[in-house]
């Protein structure tokens, strides 16, 4: 199992140490004043709903895990980026199939994961088809799980076609988080994405299909927000089809009260056998995605830390423990320990307060630096908001932008890990890591060997290993101030 899972004994020890430690000073913190991610930016009841949800709060994704159970195989539409052999590509990457479960099997699996992964805070149903078309299995699963694990939050993801019929039921089940995939608000654009839908016992194609889907998505979104349910909208960015149109989508969903907008890059490898993949439709490059996200800043709040996880994903975002928890491996007798889970949340609260203070200090340091162009940097992290991963083990980099205004998370880039025990290391560096670091000035690591450090330098990327286990903001701000802020202004 991944080292990101914290042993329960260590949680108890940490909780005791934290009890004895001085409490962090109160007051305003970097992420609670004027930032889109903190408690200070929203009413308390909304913060309460999102603060432990790794998808709805960027801060929470450093500390909390989600899991999906693949209980809803049926779907009522066809997307050109989906191959039915695989999971729903609206909320999971194509190319992987998950183990289909009955609601009873799902409840067993969730209990087994919760017993071993104290970070688990959310159970999501994201297919492998559509959770709201296959609603009976979805709600049956929630009923079975809530009896065993009352401290888990529930979350669903849907294409929206059946959603209006389920709004009341979602509210009755106290579901606070719903994701709708909305790729267009103009049905003409939809004709390039959806060949057909199945609605009220009939199959519709072309413009008629997209018109119905659009109207049902808007109706569902309005119905949910009217009930106070938080809605995240996922949009798949398809260059030349809907990329520029997503600006209109962002405006339309913001006007209807969506809480977050998550623009995801199309994944369309030909071997996945999707219509787009087989017809040469490309996905966006990382910089194209960032450009679009920058254009959307100021509209609906953006989610930038999505990992396009699979319909049976388990663990922190960016890690995949699903193979450790297949039905043949789960421990059906594993004891759920509510006390350990409560202690974990206590430890996290303290770490978050400490992290916010560190981020605030980093911001003060940056504001004292001389003006310099913004830099993009990559970070190797296993979570906790710290630089705590060896360069060779990274399968993704978290990307931050830094200038005098602060250190801002802008996304992540997946790579093939460099360290392969001596075989293929150089290939991974040349073919995967260096291309993925396009536009990046420095990569922050807990440790790195001298060979990759030299090769990165040749590609114009500095490898920074001077801040092992530091908070990301502290390290990035320290480096930027030193490298670009030589003529520093006095702190007034
Ligand atoms: Fe799952 Fe989705 Fe709920 Fe999260 S995932 S149903 S909102 S609990 Fe999260 Fe995964 Fe991105 Fe989805 S990182 S694909 S946004
Ligand atoms: Fe595939 Fe999901 Fe689209 Fe259904 S909604 S066709 S499962 S991507």
């Amino acid at each position: 199992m991944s080292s990101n899972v914290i042993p329960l004994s260590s949680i108890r020890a940490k909780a005791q140490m934290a009890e004895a430690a001085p409490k962090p000073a109160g007051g305003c913190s970097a992420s609670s004043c004027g930032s889109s991610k903190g408690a200070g930016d929203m009413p308390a009841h909304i913060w309460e709903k999102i603060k432990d949800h790794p998808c709805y709060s960027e801060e929470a994704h450093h500390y909390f895990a989600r899991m999906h159970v693949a209980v809803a195989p049926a779907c009522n539409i066809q997307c050109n980026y989906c191959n039915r052999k695989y999971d729903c590509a609206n909320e999971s990457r194509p190319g992987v199939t998950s183990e289909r479960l009955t609601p009873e099997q799902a409840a067993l699996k969730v209990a087994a994961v919760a017993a071993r992964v104290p970070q688990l805070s959310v159970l999501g149903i994201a297919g492998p088809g559509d959770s709201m078309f296959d609603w009976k299995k979805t709600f049956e699963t929630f009923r079975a799980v809530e009896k065993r694990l009352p401290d888990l939050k529930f979350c669903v993801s849907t294409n929206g076609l059946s959603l209006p019929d389920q709004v009341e039921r979602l509210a009755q089940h106290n579901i606070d988080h719903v994701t709708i995939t909305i790729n267009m608000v103009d049905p003409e654009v939809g004709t390039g994405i959806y060949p057909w839908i199945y609605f009220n016992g009939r199959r519709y194609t072309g413009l008629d299909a997209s018109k119905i889907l659009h109207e049902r998505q808007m109706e569902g979104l309005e119905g949910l927000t009217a009930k106070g349910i938080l809605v995240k909208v996922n949009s798949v960015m398809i260059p030349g089809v809907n990329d520029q149109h997503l600006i209109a989508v962002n405006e339309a969903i913001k006007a209807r009260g969506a809480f977050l907008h998550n623009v995801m890059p199309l994944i369309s490898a030909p071997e996945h056998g999707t219509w787009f993949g087989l017809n040469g439709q490309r996905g966006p490059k990382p910089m194209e995605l960032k450009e679009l996200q920058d254009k959307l800043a100021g509209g609906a709040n953006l989610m930038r830390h999505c990992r396009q996880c699979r319909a049976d994903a388990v663990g922190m975002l960016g890690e995949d423990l699903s193979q450790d928890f297949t039905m043949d491996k789960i421990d059906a007798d594993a004891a759920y320990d509510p006390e350990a889970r409560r202690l974990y949340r206590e430890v996290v609260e303290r770490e978050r307060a400490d992290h916010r203070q560190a981020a605030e200090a980093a911001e003060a340091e940056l504001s004292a630096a001389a003006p310099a162009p913004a830099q993009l940097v990559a970070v190797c992290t296993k979570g906790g908001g710290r630089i705590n991963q060896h360069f060779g083990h990274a399968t993704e980099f978290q990307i931050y932008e830094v200038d005098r205004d602060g250190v801002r998370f802008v996304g992540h880039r997946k790579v093939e890990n460099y360290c392969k025990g001596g075989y293929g290391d150089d290939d991974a560096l040349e073919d995967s890591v260096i291309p993925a670091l396009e536009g990046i000035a420095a990569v922050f690591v807990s440790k790195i060997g001298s060979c990759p450090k030299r090769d990165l330098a040749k590609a114009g990327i500095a490898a920074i290993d001077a801040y092992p286990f530091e908070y990301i903001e502290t390290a990035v701000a320290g480096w930027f101030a030193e490298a670009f802020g030589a003529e520093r202004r006095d702190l007034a």
Side-chain angles (χ1 to χ4, degrees), residues 53-56 66-68 90-92 122-126 155-157 177 179 232 234 262 264 303 305-310 313 317:
H53 195 306
C55 304
Y56 281 70
R66 53 75 186 99
M67 73 177 285
H68 292 165
N90 283 338
E91 187 79 4
S92 60
V122 176
L123 168 65
I125 297 185
C155 190
V156 296
S157 161
H177 307 89
T179 295
K232 171 165 74 62
N234 281 359
N262 172 25
M264 315 187 297
M303 173 185 188
H305 60 284
C306 174
R307 301 303 201 277
Q308 290 172 278
C309 22
R310 45 193 282 172
L317 304 191

Side-chain angles (χ1 to χ4, degrees), residues 73-84 86-91 127-130 158-159 181 194:
C75 187
N76 48 355
I77 70 173
Q78 179 63 55
C79 306
N80 279 336
Y81 45 73
C82 177
N83 176 350
R84 299 298 179 103
Y86 301 125
D87 293 339
C88 172
N90 283 338
E91 187 79 4
D130 188 75
T158 173
N159 62 42
T181 299
Y194 305 105

Side-chain angles (χ1 to χ4, degrees), residues 325-345:
F325 291 103
T326 49
M327 284 311 284
D328 57 323
K329 288 187 195 146
I330 64 163
D331 175 3
D333 300 321
Y336 157 66
D337 181 350
E339 181 58 8
R341 293 170 58 76
R342 191 191 63 74
L343 281 175
Y344 177 72
R345 286 170 196 232

Side-chain angles (χ1 to χ4, degrees), residues 45 52 83 170 207 277:
H45 70 282
D52 299 343
N83 176 350
L170 286 162
L207 200 56

Side-chain angles (χ1 to χ4, degrees), residues 17-175:
M17 275 161 52
E19 210 46 66
K23 303 279 181 290
C28 175
S29 72
S31 63
S32 65
C33 291
S35 151
S36 62
K37 19 178 197 185
D41 299 317
M42 61 194 81
H45 70 282
I46 304 234
W47 176 240
E48 205 40 52
K49 284 183 184 176
I50 68 155
K51 73 181 174 61
D52 299 343
H53 195 306
C55 304
Y56 281 70
S57 158
E58 194 257 310
E59 189 187 83
H61 101 281
H62 294 296
Y63 304 104
F64 289 100
R66 53 75 186 99
M67 73 177 285
H68 292 165
V69 284
V71 294
C75 187
N76 48 355
I77 70 173
Q78 179 63 55
C79 306
N80 279 336
Y81 45 73
C82 177
N83 176 350
R84 299 298 179 103
K85 268 198 334 211
Y86 301 125
D87 293 339
C88 172
N90 283 338
E91 187 79 4
S92 60
R93 64 183 187 273
V96 282
T97 41
S98 39
E99 195 180 38
R100 311 280 153 92
L101 303 178
T102 63
E104 298 72 35
Q105 287 173 319
L108 269 181
K109 179 170 173 171
V110 177
V113 172
R116 283 179 59 195
V117 182
Q119 296 104 321
L120 182 70
S121 62
V122 176
L123 168 65
I125 297 185
D130 188 75
S131 67
M132 292 294 94
F133 180 55
D134 223 344
W135 61 273
K136 285 190 182 148
K137 293 193 190 106
T138 296
F139 288 110
E140 216 179 299
T141 303
F142 287 147
R143 276 194 295 273
V145 173
E146 72 195 349
K147 283 188 213 138
R148 289 171 175 248
L149 295 148
D151 64 355
L152 272 195
K153 285 209 176 296
F154 297 145
C155 190
V156 296
S157 161
T158 173
N159 62 42
L161 184 59
S162 297
L163 180 59
D165 309 330
Q166 302 302 331
V167 168
E168 201 53 53
R169 207 171 264 115
L170 286 162
Q172 280 165 8
H173 276 78
N174 289 325
I175 310 256

